[in-house]
Amino acid sequence: MPHPRHARSPWPQRLRGRRVRAVDAHGKHLFLRFDGDLTLHSHLRISGHWGVYREGARWGRSPRRAWLVVRNEGWDVVEFDGPVLELLSEARIRSDRHLAALGQDVLGETFDPSDFLARLRSDDPRRPIGDALLEQRTVAGIGNLWKAEVCFATGIDPCRALVEVSDEEALGLLVKARELMRQPARDGFSARPRAVYRRTGQPCPRCGAIIRQRGQWENNRLTFWCPGCQS
Ligand SMILES: [Zn+2]
């Protein structure tokens, strides 16, 4: 842990030499599971980043911003600017109420549509569908870019209230999210679609109308959509 703030951290001592036996994710929560019942839990929020580099290669961000380096022979796995990074036992993770409340992983191997719909319908019916897709208790893993791109890809206006979205439309959004998110999950960040996200004022790639933006719901999260082909 190179950051001066962690100079006295006991983690290097506790983790040194231990094998990583699994790496898995639930939505935006990442878990590095070490032998000896020690698991690193990380959430990047908006600022954080994980990088994987060959030993000796230049890192993607300044080493001063690295909070954690997991190193073996040949590879450095580095967490930068991470706002959530904790070392926990499996029992502690299982009893974490916030983690337990998460909806199913959007990219999980299987997906239960009725669980998703039940959770979606327990939300405030006035909430815009775009913002409701960000609710991690409904489905875990959809962020602001995906919310906008999935609504665009399905032709649904993200400002439409939940009460005006049919079950069929809601499931269509989820199917599309799973389809669109799978490729960048495999091929990396640059494989993301970029039809409307942060393209305010530019023409829609589908119909040519001008893309708009608006803050939504309680957290005023920005959404981007095409008024010409999303309704
Ligand atoms: Zn359009």
Side-chain angles (χ1 to χ4, degrees):
M1 304 189 78
H3 200 282
R5 187 189 299 184
H6 300 129
R8 288 154 178 262
S9 168
W11 291 10
Q13 200 72 35
R14 294 181 71 188
L15 293 175
R16 181 169 295 127
R18 288 187 196 274
R19 191 175 59 107
V20 176
R21 59 178 176 80
V23 179
D24 51 276
H26 187 152
K28 305 175 191 176
H29 297 263
L30 184 73
F31 303 93
L32 269 70
R33 302 182 194 274
F34 291 80
D35 275 346
D37 192 27
L38 287 170
T39 294
L40 274 171
H41 166 223
S42 135
H43 189 301
L44 300 172
R45 299 216 190 282
I46 288 170
S47 58
H49 179 73
W50 279 100
V52 180
Y53 310 102
R54 284 277 181 200
E55 190 181 355
R58 190 185 163 85
W59 292 352
R61 292 189 185 181
S62 161
R64 276 181 315 216
R65 294 162 71 180
W67 285 36
L68 177 82
V69 185
V70 181
R71 177 172 286 159
N72 67 10
E73 286 169 27
W75 294 94
D76 291 339
V77 177
V78 188
E79 207 260 14
F80 299 96
D81 303 315
V84 178
L85 192 60
E86 50 187 1
L87 188 60
L88 304 168
S89 67
E90 292 292 331
R92 176 69 187 73
I93 287 170
R94 278 194 298 274
S95 67
D96 185 297
R97 267 190 291 170
H98 179 70
L99 290 174
L102 289 174
Q104 42 190 333
D105 188 328
V106 65
L107 288 176
E109 273 178 40
T110 59
F111 196 85
D112 178 355
S114 55
D115 175 88
F116 163 68
L117 284 177
R119 287 169 182 250
L120 188 74
R121 294 304 176 201
S122 70
D123 204 340
D124 189 327
R126 297 164 302 171
R127 190 171 181 175
I129 179 64
D131 201 66
L133 290 175
L134 297 177
E135 178 55 65
Q136 303 294 302
R137 286 172 296 190
T138 298
V139 56
I142 298 181
N144 214 34
L145 176 146
W146 292 109
K147 163 198 86 177
E149 295 296 341
V150 166
C151 286
F152 175 79
T154 48
I156 290 175
D157 183 339
C159 305
R160 222 201 288 170
L162 273 182
V163 67
E164 290 159 0
V165 176
S166 70
D167 286 356
E168 195 182 356
E169 287 173 318
L171 285 178
L173 285 162
L174 244 294
V175 168
K176 185 56 77 178
R178 284 169 62 77
E179 179 192 319
L180 291 181
M181 291 175 76
R182 195 158 287 147
Q183 194 195 348
R186 192 185 57 224
D187 301 339
F189 211 49
S190 57
R192 301 173 299 170
R194 209 64 183 268
V196 290
Y197 182 72
R198 298 206 177 282
R199 291 196 66 241
T200 314
Q202 297 181 50
C204 166
R206 192 159 52 201
C207 76
I210 298 302
I211 292 162
R212 295 176 61 186
Q213 71 173 59
R214 168 189 289 178
Q216 285 195 308
W217 205 236
E218 288 160 355
N219 294 326
N220 208 31
R221 296 296 304 275
L222 269 188
T223 195
F224 304 84
W225 81 102
C226 171
C229 60
Q230 289 177 261
S231 59

